[in-house]
């Protein structure tokens, strides 16, 4: 590859930037859409690749695809995908709003391959981002350093890389071969000896931990599985149709305009509607399995509740976990071969965004209502958009599929307005509302 320049560079080919690509193809002039590049570090477009399990379902309605909430007549809709591949009748007959995760991932791949203007480049990792300036020091754009040493410069930048995996401090020193975050599950397990009697620990009590616990029973059928959690028991998501309204794209304005203390209350009370819990039907399935284990006097799986992992150490060829019982304070040890973390993602901005923010000056990285990064300097000549990391300012739905279609349209509209202002020589700047995000993990 050689160094190049585009007008819009999007980092990451997940749902956020795929929705942006669709919005560009439908709303933007050709000179912008054709001059847009999406770079993706993976070899293919896949959704939730680490937990792309054959039986796992999406937790969002199929209508919350990349485009339907913005443009129900779009050729890029999930329903049109089903029609195109000949599965529409079967999907309707299934009678569910929730598609299998594998099928939704295939839909994203189909969208990526159906784009006619926006380009996607796979196997391309972005190592760093930095501002580009003219001789007078004024911001004119952005420079992306790719892992192969080449660069891409752009006027507009859209970052949709997702949150960084959360690794609790006590596990940080374990060797990579013994520690597996949920984002790595499929690739790691595929390389293991399926028949070997591993000793396995699963850490966490939310959806990702539950899915690994369930999948390990099939993937490593001869293994002993210890599911360790701080909670008193497995719990379901605490949500109703009323709380689901807070995930509407139309709720973003109300959340953004709320006072800081109101935002904090909303996020706190809504936390258990999507984090720190499990989908209710899945909870029922897990209990049925647990019941059958007792009936068959099976002792291969263990749920260890109200327990803290207070230390973890690699000793010889195993991992020794120090477990402290939260009820009694008693300390015991678990000897494991592998530790699987269902610990979610950190809430602070991804490292790629934080490093970019450090080059722009002190202060937290935040976005305005149009998802444009708020800069201490003029953004008259360039703009950077942040996707899926603005829950502190835009609401709990920001990291989810709920808002991707509408958000993509709003970002494209903002880019077009910014381009027009630049062409006409009008001053144009974003709002400034610093609000630091919490550093707590999501799960």
């Amino acid at each position: 590859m050689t160094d190049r320049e585009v007008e819009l560079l999007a980092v990451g080919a997940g749902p956020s930037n795929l929705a942006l690509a669709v919005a560009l193809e439908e709303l933007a002039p050709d000179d912008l859409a054709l001059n847009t590049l999406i770079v993706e570090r993976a070899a293919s477009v896949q959704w939730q690749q680490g937990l792309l399990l054959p039986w796992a379902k999406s937790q969002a309605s199929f209508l919350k695809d990349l485009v339907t909430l913005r443009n129900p007549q779009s050729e890029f809709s999930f329903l049109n995908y089903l029609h195109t591949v000949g599965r529409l009748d079967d999907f309707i007959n299934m009678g569910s709003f929730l598609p299998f995760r594998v099928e939704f991932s295939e839909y994203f791949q189909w969208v990526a391959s159906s784009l006619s203007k926006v380009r996607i480049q796979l196997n391309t990792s972005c190592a760093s981002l930095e501002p580009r300036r003219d001789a007078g020091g004024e911001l004119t754009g952005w420079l992306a350093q790719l892992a192969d040493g080449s660069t891409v410069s752009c006027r507009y930048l859209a970052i949709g890389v997702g949150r960084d995996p959360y690794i609790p401090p006590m596990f940080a020193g374990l060797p990579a071969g013994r520690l597996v975050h949920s984002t790595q599950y499929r690739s790691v397990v595929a390389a293991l000896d399926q028949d070997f009697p591993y000793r396995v620990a699963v850490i966490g009590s939310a959806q990702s931990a539950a899915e690994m616990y369930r999948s390990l029973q099939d993937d490593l059928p001869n293994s002993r599985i210890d599911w360790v959690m701080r909670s008193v028991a497995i719990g379901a998501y605490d949500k109703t149709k009323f709380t689901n309204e807070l995930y509407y794209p139309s709720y973003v304005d109300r959340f953004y305009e709320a006072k800081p203390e109101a935002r904090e209350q909303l996020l706190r009370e809504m936390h258990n509607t999507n984090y720190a819990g499990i989908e209710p039907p899945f909870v029922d399935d897990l209990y049925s399995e647990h019941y059958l284990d007792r009936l068959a006097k099976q002792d291969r799986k263990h749920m260890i509740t109200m327990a803290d992992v207070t230390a973890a150490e690699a000793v010889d060829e195993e991992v020794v976990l120090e477990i402290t019982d939260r009820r009694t304070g008693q300390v015991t040890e678990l000897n494991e071969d592998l530790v699987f973390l269902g610990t979610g993602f950190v809430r602070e901005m991804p490292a790629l965004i934080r490093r970019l923010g450090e080059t722009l000056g002190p202060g937290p990285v935040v976005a305005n209502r149009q998802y444009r990064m708020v800069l201490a300097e003029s953004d008259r000549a360039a703009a950077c958009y942040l996707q899926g990391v603005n829950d502190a300012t835009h609401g709990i739905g920001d990291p989810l599929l709920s808002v991707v279609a509408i958000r993509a349209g709003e970002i494209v509209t903002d880019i077009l307005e910014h381009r027009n202002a630049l062409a006409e020589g009008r001053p144009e700047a974003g709002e400034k509302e610093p609000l630091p995000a919490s550093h707590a993990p999501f799960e």
Side-chain angles (χ1 to χ4, degrees):
M1 290 194 301
T2 58
D3 295 355
R4 77 197 94 161
E5 183 167 358
V6 297
E7 185 162 11
L8 169 58
L9 174 67
V11 182
S16 293
N17 279 335
L18 287 176
L20 181 63
V22 170
L24 286 164
E25 299 231 345
E26 294 185 341
L27 302 175
D30 284 354
D31 66 327
L32 174 57
L34 290 169
N35 203 19
T36 294
L37 174 67
I38 300 176
V39 293
E40 166 58 42
R41 64 184 176 183
S44 62
V45 173
Q46 291 193 1
W47 182 50
Q48 297 190 19
Q49 183 173 4
L51 288 176
L52 202 56
L53 307 170
W55 44 263
K57 283 195 168 185
S58 166
Q59 294 165 237
S61 165
F62 70 90
L63 295 172
K64 295 181 179 182
D65 59 14
L66 300 176
V67 68
T68 294
L69 290 179
R70 178 180 61 79
N71 177 14
Q73 296 177 310
S74 173
E75 64 179 295
F76 294 100
S77 71
F78 179 69
L79 286 181
N80 190 47
Y81 158 73
L82 291 173
H83 170 72
T84 301
V85 300
R87 286 208 302 269
L88 184 55
D89 284 341
D90 289 342
F91 183 82
I92 292 172
N93 194 47
M94 191 170 64
S96 174
F97 273 87
L98 305 179
F100 286 99
R101 197 175 292 161
V102 170
E103 189 164 40
F104 229 40
S105 181
E106 290 176 354
Y107 158 64
F108 293 146
Q109 290 178 304
W110 175 81
V111 169
S113 63
S114 300
L115 298 170
S116 61
K117 302 172 186 177
V118 175
R119 292 168 294 153
I120 298 179
Q121 185 171 304
L122 303 173
N123 288 312
T124 304
S125 181
C126 181
S128 66
L129 298 165
E130 60 186 65
R132 185 185 65 189
R133 304 183 185 279
D134 61 18
E138 183 177 348
L139 179 69
T140 61
W142 314 95
L143 185 69
Q145 185 81 34
L146 304 182
D148 67 356
S150 66
T151 61
V152 179
S153 61
C154 58
R155 181 179 299 279
Y156 299 106
L157 178 64
I159 308 175
V161 295
R163 302 280 186 177
D164 295 327
Y166 177 64
I167 310 297
M170 72 286 296
F171 298 105
L174 295 182
R178 301 285 175 182
L179 188 68
V180 185
H181 190 268
S182 61
T183 54
Q184 307 165 303
Y185 177 83
R186 281 181 63 238
S187 60
V188 170
V189 169
L192 297 175
D193 181 354
Q194 188 177 44
D195 297 324
F196 189 82
Y198 293 99
R199 298 163 300 170
V200 171
V202 177
I203 311 298
S205 59
Q207 185 76 19
S208 59
E211 290 187 4
M212 289 190 292
Y213 173 76
R214 173 64 187 83
S215 191
L216 282 164
Q217 298 173 43
D218 296 326
D219 296 336
L220 302 177
N222 297 320
S223 295
R224 185 198 77 196
I225 307 171
D226 298 317
W227 188 1
V228 184
M229 62 191 76
R230 291 180 297 181
S231 55
V232 298
I234 296 171
Y237 289 137
D238 182 16
K239 60 183 179 182
T240 67
K241 289 181 172 63
F242 293 100
T243 57
N244 279 346
E245 291 190 359
L246 276 71
Y247 289 92
Y248 288 1
S250 57
Y251 195 79
V252 174
D253 282 328
R254 295 180 63 188
F255 187 93
Y256 189 83
E257 294 163 0
K259 297 184 295 183
E261 57 269 28
R263 290 176 175 174
E264 291 177 5
Q265 178 184 350
L266 284 163
L267 290 175
R268 183 174 61 253
E269 294 191 17
M270 289 292 290
H271 184 77
N272 286 349
T273 65
N274 190 69
Y275 305 109
I278 302 170
E279 282 289 341
F282 193 25
V283 174
D284 291 340
D285 291 343
L286 290 170
Y287 190 81
S288 294
E289 291 179 0
H290 194 58
Y291 180 88
L292 290 173
D293 288 343
R294 288 173 172 172
L295 186 64
K297 295 181 172 55
Q298 185 278 141
D299 193 39
R300 185 171 67 91
K301 298 174 292 181
H302 308 95
M303 292 186 185
I304 304 172
T305 61
M306 290 195 72
D308 284 319
V309 181
T310 46
E313 183 182 9
V315 179
D316 296 328
E317 297 299 315
E318 64 182 12
V319 174
V320 179
L321 301 181
E322 180 184 273
I323 307 296
T324 301
D325 190 309
R326 296 168 70 92
R327 292 165 295 187
T328 65
Q330 181 180 0
V331 177
T332 58
E333 289 186 348
L334 285 176
N335 296 79
E336 310 285 3
D337 298 304
L338 296 164
V339 177
F340 290 86
L341 296 181
T343 49
F345 301 85
V346 294
R347 187 169 293 181
E348 67 178 333
M349 291 289 175
L352 187 69
I353 296 176
R354 294 201 313 272
R355 290 194 296 266
L356 174 61
E358 290 167 0
T359 68
L360 294 166
V365 176
V366 292
N368 70 6
R369 174 58 187 85
Q370 289 71 41
Y371 305 96
R372 194 195 308 180
M373 184 189 292
V374 176
L375 305 177
E377 59 190 297
S378 171
D379 59 0
R380 183 184 64 83
C384 173
Y385 297 88
L386 308 178
Q387 300 207 68
V389 291
N390 305 303
D391 48 306
T393 51
H394 291 67
I396 195 167
D398 193 70
L400 309 176
L401 290 174
S402 301
V403 302
V404 294
I406 299 297
R407 180 175 65 209
E410 291 175 343
I411 291 175
V412 170
T413 298
D414 194 64
I415 291 174
L416 296 180
E417 291 176 354
H418 189 277
R419 290 174 98 223
N420 290 337
L422 189 61
E424 297 170 8
R426 292 185 282 110
E428 214 276 356
E431 303 168 61
K432 294 177 174 57
E433 186 180 359
L435 181 66
S438 167
H439 290 195
F442 273 119
E443 293 185 340

